[in-house]
């Protein structure tokens, strides 16, 4: 009998880390990707990777605080054991990447330099210029190439994953995939399949994501019965460069290095921004959030920028919404050294040098916090049991999800520089559990019929698409409509009436997709049919995102409904302030009870998502109000603390797990 | 100097060009594309006319063509196939010849192209790699070169062993530009010593035998500037240099550094402004020293 064989779908940071670790554990890996793995979307990550380090440790930082920042930043929506484990692995992961040759920026003494990122008060982020994702990706790509030469890894680049194949017992036994060049179909029997296919930004049309981030692989797992968690949580990055073909990211590191966000006091002030004196500028993030300043968490920065442009009418331009992101007060030499890569992007695409002229930026869809629902096995210390086959496994045995396409780690909002960490962590951590799962799979082998039937079904579907009559709907136009609809109704500000309408509209678009015609009916490198299939798979995701957003009547992290927002306390009278704070905390507790739950979507037989809600494991750090810069936050915090103390005295504490680190 | 060569110009040049063309922007663009349906087929030219929009790049042109699929003379055609992913010049996918010059389609801004050549925009596939279809070429040879020079740090394993070696900021600043190579293939396309290798599967040949034969064909031919530069990157890393000799062996083997004719085209077309000729010069010196050492070690 052949040794265990694992199929990995996607070769970004998560897929490559898993492949490297599996190969090291003696497993043969098929690594399949839409693009050569070195060209994966991870390359676009700019700012850095978070972990506690020797220096921050001496300033009072520790793994516990990184864990706490992550769950607080994510508004407590993530299960805590995996996050705790990830924070504890952080220093080891950055050390490993350092050993792999990642050219991290250095201090004069030769140590890794660190910068500060959003949602924390420590300089916890290691970085390689402003192309950290690219550098981490390359280091892993190089190691996987080494394993490829050694014969442990076989790459299938320019291949599309079409479906997981499940046996009668419901276990995943492999997948059906298609060669994007020859259009040949092929069955990949596997003892386990790991999906590491990234986010689904293309559901929103233009985003900061790469063209392969259609979400199709995830959608195909969902169609096969995999659950999808927290779909409605989509991160809109505060700072992107608007463009006709895509919205290009302007990294948070621009603010981490001192970049300031502002608008002129005079709406659409026609002057050159450099001629507008400080007194006539509004540094609105610094004014409203004195503690974090320009480095408030992303959801807050995004809403403030959106708000100042739309509600306050202070957009820099009239026809195009944007604000200034200003670096011109920082010496050119520092900018070149620390931000060279991203400033070059701005200069190349906008034709203006951001070292001398403030950039014009606006929020853009950036990251999917939600994704395939996955399991984990909690350890006695509150972390994870290493080597458990349950870790990162979807509800389908033998089918795993890692990286951006899983729903863990980031809750309702991801902190900057945590995505690279979660991708590499989940990739490394999943491996021993997958090995255990392979052993389980080996206990019985399905016959060849299973794969053959699935292959035939995919071939048939493909042939049907190609033979659709001409003159029908144009898939590119439909995608454009879908993107505009989703961006308008389901990003920064969400309203129930709009969400309900959008849901109906997406269903109508899906119907029209059934009548799509292909402009290419050939059987060689047919990009048209591949795109049309991926588009078809966007609708189920769009529907679960919209329905999740519609049903979730609260504000949490990136999900913001003004109707349910909990404004701060403006009153001056101390007694009144106190009373309002009590009320605020009552409401907060009520809301936590009702909504601190994972949205779990299942693909219904009628094509509509069926949503259920699952409790979140918040047993390690109990949820508290997220008060970044909220007016009256001090008095709310005071009342909250008193309640916590009262509760602690009333009930004798169970042994807290690792509290205080 | 390099910036001008790669078509980006100085900042004022770009800004003023964009402003100037905005004032006299055309209503539509004529785009001439060199198409080829599959490997081994004849190539042919096809013209498309698409409406002009502000801030377009070659990617957005190709997106419009894919959506319209109607030629200048009103014929319905299959969309043009091309390679792209990140659209921000960091993935290395979208290399093609734009107005005859190898570059990334995403950073090829239409307003700049109209400055160069107002009558039409000409798109062709790279000429040194086998065409898969239309503007899409097979660049697996780029990655094979990386295998040849062992472009990796030979770590013991991925388990925790503490941090990597201390590195001075000077060394990091030296290494970083080399590490930003996106494997786009521009340097290979522009190099007179780099010639096309196209191997097709023979009737009755197994996939394995075909792949082995193709690899053999790649390995007889020039590595390309990017791989030489990667070899120098890893030979300067404290752990990477532990297999420096193996890399020198690859660099001095057939298809190695001796093939370089010092045309310096590579550095002129590199979209990431990587100092490729500096790497090549270093590799040349290292190869000489290595040959002498080997001579005396015999």
């Amino acid at each position: 009998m052949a040794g265990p064989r694992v199929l990995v779908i996607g070769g970004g940071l998560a897929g490559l880390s898993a492949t490297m670790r599996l190969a090291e554990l003696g497993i043969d890996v098929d690594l399949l990707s839409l693009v050569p793995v070195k060209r994966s979307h991870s390359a676009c990550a700019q700012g850095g990777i978070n972990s506690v380090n020797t220096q921050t440790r001496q300033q009072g930082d520790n793994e516990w605080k990184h864990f706490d920042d992550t769950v607080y930043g994510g508004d407590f929506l993530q299960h805590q054991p995996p996050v705790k484990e990830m924070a504890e692995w952080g220093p080891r992961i950055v050390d490993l990447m350092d050993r792999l040759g990642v050219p991290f920026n250095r201090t004069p003494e030769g140590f890794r330099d660190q910068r500060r990122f959003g949602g924390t008060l420590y300089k916890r982020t290691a970085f390689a210029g402003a192309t950290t994702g690219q550098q981490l990706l390359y280091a892993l790509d190089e190691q996987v190439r080494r394993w490829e030469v050694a014969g442990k890894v076989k790459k299938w680049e320019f291949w599309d994953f079409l479906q997981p194949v499940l046996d009668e017992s419901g276990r995943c036994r492999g997948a059906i995939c298609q060669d994007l060049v020859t259009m040949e179909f092929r069955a990949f029997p596997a003892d386990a399949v790991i999906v590491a296919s990234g986010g689904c930004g293309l559901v929103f049309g233009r985003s900061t994501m790469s063209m392969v981030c259609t979400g199709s692989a995830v959608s195909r797992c969902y169609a096969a019965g995999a659950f999808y968690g927290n779909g409605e949580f989509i991160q809109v990055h505060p700072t992107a460069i608007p463009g006709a073909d895509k919205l290009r990211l302007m990294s948070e590191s621009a603010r981490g290095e001192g970049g300031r966000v502002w608008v002129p006091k005079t709406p659409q002030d026609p002057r050159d921004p450099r001629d507008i004196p400080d007194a006539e500028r509004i540094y609105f993030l610094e004014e409203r959030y004195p503690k974090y300043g320009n480095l408030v968490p992303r959801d807050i920065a995004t809403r403030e920028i959106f708000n100042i442009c739309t509600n306050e009418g202070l957009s820099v331009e009239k026809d195009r919404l944007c604000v200034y992101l200003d670096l011109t007060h920082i010496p050119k030499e520092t900018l070149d050294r620390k931000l060279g890569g991203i400033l070059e992007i701005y200069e190349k695409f906008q034709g203006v040098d951001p070292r001398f002229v403030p950039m014009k930026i606006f929020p853009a869809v950036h990251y999917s916090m939600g994704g395939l629902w996955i399991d984990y096995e909690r350890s006695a210390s509150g972390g994870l049991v290493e080597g458990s086959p349950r870790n990162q496994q979807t509800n389908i045995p033998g089918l795993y999800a890692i990286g951006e396409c899983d729903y863990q780690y980031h809750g309702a909002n991801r902190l900057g520089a945590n995505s690279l960490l979660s991708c590499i962590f989940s990739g490394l951590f999943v491996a021993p559990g997958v090995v255990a799962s392979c052993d389980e799979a080996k206990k019985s082998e399905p016959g060849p019929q299973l794969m053959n039937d699935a292959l035939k079904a995919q071939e048939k579907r493909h042939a049907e698409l190609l033979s659709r009559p001409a003159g029908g709907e144009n898939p590119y136009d439909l995608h454009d409509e879908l993107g505009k609809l989703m961006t308008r109704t389901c990003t920064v500000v969400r309203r129930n009436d709009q969400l309900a309408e959008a849901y109906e509209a997406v269903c109508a678009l899906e119907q029209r997709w059934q009548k799509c015609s292909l402009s290419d009916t050939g059987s060689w490198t047919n990009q048209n049919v591949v795109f049309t299939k991926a588009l078809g798979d966007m609708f189920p995701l769009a529907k679960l995102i919209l329905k999740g957003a519609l049903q979730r009547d609260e504000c949490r992290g990136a999900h913001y409904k003004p109707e349910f927002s909990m404004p701060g306390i403006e009153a001056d009278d101390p007694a009144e302030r106190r009373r309002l704070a009590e009320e605020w905390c009552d409401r907060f507790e009520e809301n936590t009870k009702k909504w601190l739950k994972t949205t779990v979507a299942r693909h219904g037989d009628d094509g509509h998502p069926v949503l259920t809600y699952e409790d979140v494991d918040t047993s390690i750090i109990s949820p508290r109000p997220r008060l970044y810069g909220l007016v009256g936050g001090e008095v709310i915090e005071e009342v909250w603390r008193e309640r916590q103390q009262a509760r602690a005295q009333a009930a004798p504490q169970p042994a807290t797990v690792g509290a205080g680190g | 100097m390099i910036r001008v060569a790669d078509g980006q110009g100085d900042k004022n040049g770009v800004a003023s060009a964009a402003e100037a063309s905005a004032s006299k922007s055309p209503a539509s663009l004529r785009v001439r594309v060199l198409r080829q349906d599959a490997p081994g087929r004849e190539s042919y030219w096809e013209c498309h006319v698409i409406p002009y929009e502000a801030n377009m790049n070659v990617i957005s042109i190709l997106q419009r063509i894919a959506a319209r699929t109607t030629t200048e003379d009103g014929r319905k055609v299959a969309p043009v196939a091309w390679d792209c992913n990140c659209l921000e010049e960091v993935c290395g996918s979208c290399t093609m010849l734009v107005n005859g010059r190898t570059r990334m389609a995403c950073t090829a801004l239409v307003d700049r192209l109209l400055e160069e050549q107002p009558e039409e925009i000409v798109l062709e596939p790279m000429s040194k790699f086998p065409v898969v279809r239309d503007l899409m070429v097979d660049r697996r040879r780029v990655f094979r070169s990386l295998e040849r020079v062992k472009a990796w740090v030979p770590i013991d394993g991925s388990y925790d062993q503490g941090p990597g070696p201390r590195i001075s900021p000077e060394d990091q600043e030296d290494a970083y530009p080399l590490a930003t190579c996106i494997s786009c293939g521009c340097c290979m396309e522009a190099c007179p010593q780099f010639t096309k290798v196209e191997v097709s599967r023979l009737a009755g040949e197994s996939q394995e035998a075909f792949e082995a034969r193709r690899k053999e064909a790649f390995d007889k031919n020039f590595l390309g500037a990017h791989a030489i530069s990667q070899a120098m990157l890893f030979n300067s890393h404290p752990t990477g240099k532990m297999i420096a000799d193996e890399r020198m062996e690859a660099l001095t083997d057939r298809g190695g550094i001796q093939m370089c004719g010092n045309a310096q085209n590579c550095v002129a077309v590199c979209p990431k402004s990587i100092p490729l000729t500096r790497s090549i010069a270093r590799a040349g010196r290292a190869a000489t020293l290595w040959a002498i050492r080997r001579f005396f070690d015999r």
Side-chain angles (χ1 to χ4, degrees):
Chain A
M1 196 168 69
R5 197 164 189 94
V6 171
L7 174 64
V8 178
I9 309 297
L13 289 180
L16 290 171
S17 324
T19 301
M20 172 178 77
R21 187 49 74 86
L22 283 167
E24 216 171 310
L25 292 170
I27 307 286
D28 290 305
V29 183
D30 287 306
L31 174 58
L32 187 135
S33 166
L34 290 166
V35 290
V37 293
K38 193 178 177 179
R39 312 206 190 285
S40 300
H41 179 61
S42 301
C44 293
Q46 299 171 344
I49 178 165
N50 286 336
S51 85
V52 179
N53 51 78
T54 320
Q55 209 172 353
T56 61
R57 225 181 267 288
Q58 294 166 76
Q59 294 157 354
D61 192 17
N62 55 36
E63 282 80 353
W64 184 269
K65 287 190 177 166
H66 183 189
F67 167 41
D68 185 81
D69 281 343
T70 305
V71 292
Y72 182 62
D75 226 345
F76 294 90
L77 194 62
Q78 60 275 69
H79 293 299
Q80 294 180 355
V83 184
K84 181 168 181 285
E85 190 72 37
M86 173 177 83
E88 283 167 8
W89 273 59
R92 272 177 274 166
I93 285 173
V94 178
D95 278 352
L96 169 63
M97 300 315 294
D98 189 15
R99 280 172 53 223
L100 297 188
V102 171
F104 286 115
N105 279 48
R106 298 286 161 170
T107 66
E109 204 179 325
F111 294 108
R112 293 190 299 257
D113 199 0
Q114 319 275 342
R115 59 163 64 120
R116 204 186 121 206
F117 246 62
T120 182
L121 300 170
Y122 296 103
K123 281 191 169 184
R124 205 181 267 156
T125 308
F127 60 103
T131 63
T132 312
Q134 177 197 42
Q135 296 305 314
L136 297 175
L137 178 74
Y138 289 3
L140 291 166
D141 172 65
E142 287 148 15
Q143 294 302 319
V144 167
R145 185 167 293 108
R146 201 176 154 210
W147 282 112
E148 194 185 6
V149 171
K152 280 315 269 182
V153 174
K154 175 144 178 67
K155 280 188 199 151
W156 304 82
E157 294 174 327
F158 295 109
W159 279 73
D160 194 11
F161 163 83
L162 299 176
Q163 68 159 99
V165 180
L166 314 190
D167 66 15
E168 276 175 7
S169 75
R171 188 184 166 90
C172 179
R173 292 295 188 167
I176 305 299
C177 305
Q178 185 176 24
D179 186 330
L180 298 180
V181 172
T182 65
M183 308 312 283
E184 161 209 355
F185 291 83
R186 189 184 174 103
F188 289 77
D191 298 301
V193 175
I194 304 177
V195 181
S197 58
C200 60
L202 261 71
V203 171
F204 292 81
R206 288 177 305 153
S207 71
T208 66
M209 290 194 212
S210 295
M211 295 300 108
V212 291
C213 302
T214 59
S216 61
V218 161
S219 183
R220 289 161 192 176
C221 293
Y222 170 67
F227 297 161
Y228 198 100
N230 290 337
E232 65 269 33
F233 292 92
I234 299 284
Q235 180 165 81
V236 180
H237 195 286
T239 60
I241 315 162
D245 51 340
K246 93 170 272 197
L247 311 171
R248 296 179 176 86
L249 178 65
M250 178 44 59
S251 167
E252 190 164 308
S253 55
R255 285 172 288 136
E257 294 300 339
R260 304 178 74 188
V261 176
W262 62 277
V263 288
K265 276 189 177 156
T266 316
Q268 291 89 49
D269 193 323
R271 284 176 289 179
D272 185 313
R274 291 167 291 188
D275 297 336
I276 301 175
D278 243 19
E280 294 174 42
R281 301 174 175 191
I282 311 174
Y283 292 97
F284 53 98
L285 291 176
E286 296 170 35
E287 285 172 16
R288 293 172 196 176
Y289 305 93
K291 188 169 166 195
Y292 288 87
N294 290 289
L295 285 172
V296 283
R298 291 182 173 173
D299 56 320
I300 295 174
T302 293
R303 271 199 296 282
E304 290 292 350
I305 294 171
F306 190 82
N307 176 59
I308 207 147
C309 290
T310 55
N311 296 331
E312 300 184 30
L314 288 170
S315 169
V316 167
E317 288 181 20
K318 199 176 169 62
D319 309 328
R320 194 176 63 148
L321 301 180
C322 55
V323 301
Y324 287 124
L325 170 55
D326 199 340
L327 294 168
T328 58
H329 55 288
I330 302 169
K332 181 179 173 301
E333 175 276 321
T334 310
L335 294 176
D336 286 341
R337 194 157 43 83
K338 294 192 164 170
L339 298 173
I342 52 169
L343 301 185
E344 206 172 273
I345 289 176
Y346 191 86
E347 193 177 353
K348 280 195 173 177
F349 288 95
Q350 298 303 106
V352 175
D353 188 342
R355 283 162 280 239
F356 303 106
V357 183
M359 295 181 275
K360 291 176 188 171
I361 54 93
F362 196 69
V365 167
H366 181 55
Y367 190 89
S368 329
M369 270 81 69
L372 289 172
W373 180 95
I374 50 164
D375 198 6
Y376 62 88
E377 188 172 343
R378 192 185 200 275
S379 71
S381 64
L384 301 184
V385 177
E386 211 172 328
S388 165
R390 285 173 54 195
N391 295 330
Q392 306 286 142
Q393 187 171 243
T394 66
N395 56 304
I396 297 173
L399 181 66
Y400 289 79
I402 54 174
E404 186 173 346
C405 77
D406 78 44
Y407 88 114
Q408 257 301 355
Y409 304 106
H410 307 296
N413 170 57
R414 178 174 66 76
L415 290 188
N418 258 354
S419 61
L420 300 181
L421 180 63
S422 64
C423 285
I424 300 175
F425 167 72
S426 58
L428 294 176
F429 198 80
V430 75
V434 166
V435 175
S437 179
C438 288
D439 293 343
E440 191 58 36
K442 284 288 181 203
K443 287 180 184 162
S444 65
E445 296 265 341
Q449 192 61 30
L450 183 69
M451 285 287 165
N452 283 342
D453 289 350
L455 187 80
K456 289 270 159 6
Q458 284 295 342
E459 282 175 344
K460 184 157 168 271
R461 176 171 180 248
H462 187 74
E464 278 167 8
L465 263 176
L466 290 185
S467 60
R468 281 191 188 174
E473 296 278 354
N474 180 325
Y476 303 97
D477 292 344
L478 283 184
H479 181 233
D480 193 46
E481 280 188 52
L482 173 69
K484 283 182 176 144
L485 177 71
M486 292 298 289
T487 304
R488 183 169 57 79
T489 60
C490 203
T491 51
V492 185
V493 177
R494 297 166 170 184
R495 293 173 205 281
N496 282 343
D497 52 343
Q498 291 185 348
L499 292 168
E501 276 170 40
Y503 188 90
E504 293 307 316
V506 166
C507 293
L509 284 174
E510 193 176 22
Q511 287 299 315
R512 286 168 59 196
W513 178 83
Q514 299 289 349
K515 299 189 201 83
C516 258
S517 294
L518 299 184
S519 47
D520 185 354
T521 53
S523 53
W524 182 264
T525 320
N526 186 336
Q527 297 180 332
N528 188 229
V529 69
V530 173
F531 176 78
T532 305
K533 278 185 198 171
L535 172 66
D537 294 323
M538 289 182 202
F539 300 112
L541 296 183
K543 287 197 286 191
L544 73 85
I545 292 168
L546 287 167
K547 192 164 180 191
L550 178 61
Q551 292 197 10
R552 188 175 279 276
D553 279 339
E554 65 156 352
C555 294
R556 185 177 299 278
H559 174 70
Y560 178 71
K561 281 185 179 173
E563 205 184 328
F564 299 94
S565 72
M566 291 174 50
I569 294 168
E570 311 252 3
D572 290 329
D573 172 53
E576 179 65 0
R577 279 169 69 79
R578 183 76 204 183
R579 191 185 64 75
L580 290 170
E582 292 282 358
E583 252 179 46
W584 199 100
C585 290
D586 289 345
R587 210 180 138 195
F588 174 80
E589 288 187 0
E590 208 175 296
N591 187 66
T592 301
K593 211 171 285 169
K594 187 164 178 208
W595 281 116
L596 184 53
K597 300 210 189 292
T598 302
T599 312
V600 182
R602 178 172 62 76
H603 193 250
D605 296 334
D606 58 358
H608 294 292
V610 179
L611 304 188
T612 49
Y613 294 89
E614 185 186 81
D615 284 338
V616 179
D617 182 345
T618 56
S619 59
I620 308 171
I621 299 175
S622 69
R624 61 182 188 274
R626 198 164 172 260
L627 296 170
Y628 300 103
L630 190 73
V631 182
E634 327 74 57
V635 60
I636 296 172
E637 207 175 346
E638 193 183 298
V639 169
W640 183 256
R641 206 174 297 138
E642 286 169 18
R643 287 189 183 190
Q644 291 302 98
Q645 280 162 1
R647 219 161 277 160
Q649 281 161 10
Q653 274 288 323
T656 43
V657 205
Chain B
M1 179 191 75
I2 296 162
R3 293 192 137 299
V4 174
D6 78 6
Q8 299 309 323
D10 63 282
K11 68 182 162 64
N12 298 323
V14 176
S16 56
E19 276 159 31
S21 56
S23 59
K24 53 176 170 67
S25 39
S28 61
L29 299 169
R30 187 164 189 272
V31 185
R32 197 149 57 87
V33 187
L34 186 63
R35 303 195 60 170
Q36 183 176 330
D37 295 343
R41 303 282 276 278
E42 284 291 302
S43 57
Y44 56 94
W45 289 100
E46 192 175 273
C47 289
H48 292 262
V49 175
I50 54 167
Y52 171 90
E53 294 164 46
N55 299 317
M56 284 185 114
N57 57 3
V58 168
I59 297 289
S60 47
I61 289 179
L62 288 163
Q63 287 175 338
R64 302 295 179 277
I65 291 178
R68 291 164 53 95
T69 60
T70 309
T71 62
E72 189 178 25
D73 45 8
R75 273 183 311 119
K76 275 285 183 195
V77 291
V80 174
W82 90 99
D83 227 356
C84 72
N85 194 28
C86 77
L87 313 192
E88 48 193 59
E89 207 184 64
V90 72
C91 78
S93 293
C94 64
T95 321
M96 60 184 70
L97 304 183
V98 180
N99 287 353
R101 223 177 50 222
T102 181
R103 53 181 139 188
M104 311 313 292
C106 62
T107 40
L109 305 183
V110 165
D111 291 332
R112 288 284 295 173
L113 297 174
L114 293 176
E115 286 268 303
E116 282 173 26
Q117 189 172 300
E119 55 287 351
E120 62 177 9
I121 291 169
V122 184
L123 307 179
E124 296 164 82
M126 297 168 91
S127 65
K128 303 286 179 74
F129 298 93
V131 170
V132 173
R133 181 174 180 180
D134 299 334
L135 301 174
M136 196 173 159
V137 295
D138 180 349
R139 277 177 289 173
R140 72 184 75 217
R141 189 174 161 197
V142 176
F143 299 112
R144 174 60 196 160
S145 291
L146 297 179
E147 293 177 4
R148 286 165 72 184
V149 300
K150 302 191 175 170
W152 52 70
V153 174
I155 53 160
D156 291 346
S158 66
Y159 289 96
D160 184 28
Q161 304 267 28
R166 293 253 290 271
I167 288 174
S168 72
E170 292 71 30
D171 286 347
Q172 187 271 345
E173 280 162 34
D174 213 33
Y176 178 71
L178 306 192
T180 59
C181 172
I182 57 178
S183 303
C184 60
C186 283
C187 59
M188 299 159 114
E189 175 70 21
C191 173
Q193 307 305 319
F194 189 92
T195 50
K196 184 170 175 173
V197 173
E198 185 159 14
V199 182
S200 11
R201 194 164 162 184
L202 306 170
E205 189 178 32
S206 73
Q207 182 66 26
E208 291 69 32
F210 164 57
E211 282 173 15
R213 195 163 56 82
R214 182 171 58 196
K215 197 176 273 185
E216 172 65 19
F218 287 163
D219 292 357
K220 278 198 296 225
N221 285 280
F222 188 33
L223 282 162
H226 78 298
I228 296 173
S229 186
Q230 289 292 301
M232 289 300 100
L233 168 65
F234 288 98
N235 275 6
S236 65
H237 184 271
T239 319
K241 70 165 61 139
M242 291 177 187
I243 55 165
D245 281 359
E246 293 173 43
R247 290 194 199 96
M248 291 316 301
E249 204 152 333
L251 285 183
T252 53
D253 200 358
R254 53 187 188 159
I257 179 117
Q258 73 282 0
M259 299 273 295
C260 171
N262 203 26
Q264 309 203 7
N265 291 1
C266 51
V267 74
V269 297
C270 177
K272 305 318 281 184
S273 309
I274 297 171
L276 292 166
T277 42
R278 199 180 71 194
S279 289
I280 292 171
R282 282 184 189 173
R285 282 194 299 274
T288 309
L289 290 174
W290 192 72
I292 294 170
R293 215 187 76 202
R294 271 238 298 205
F295 179 79
F296 285 109
D297 282 353
R298 262 200 305 211

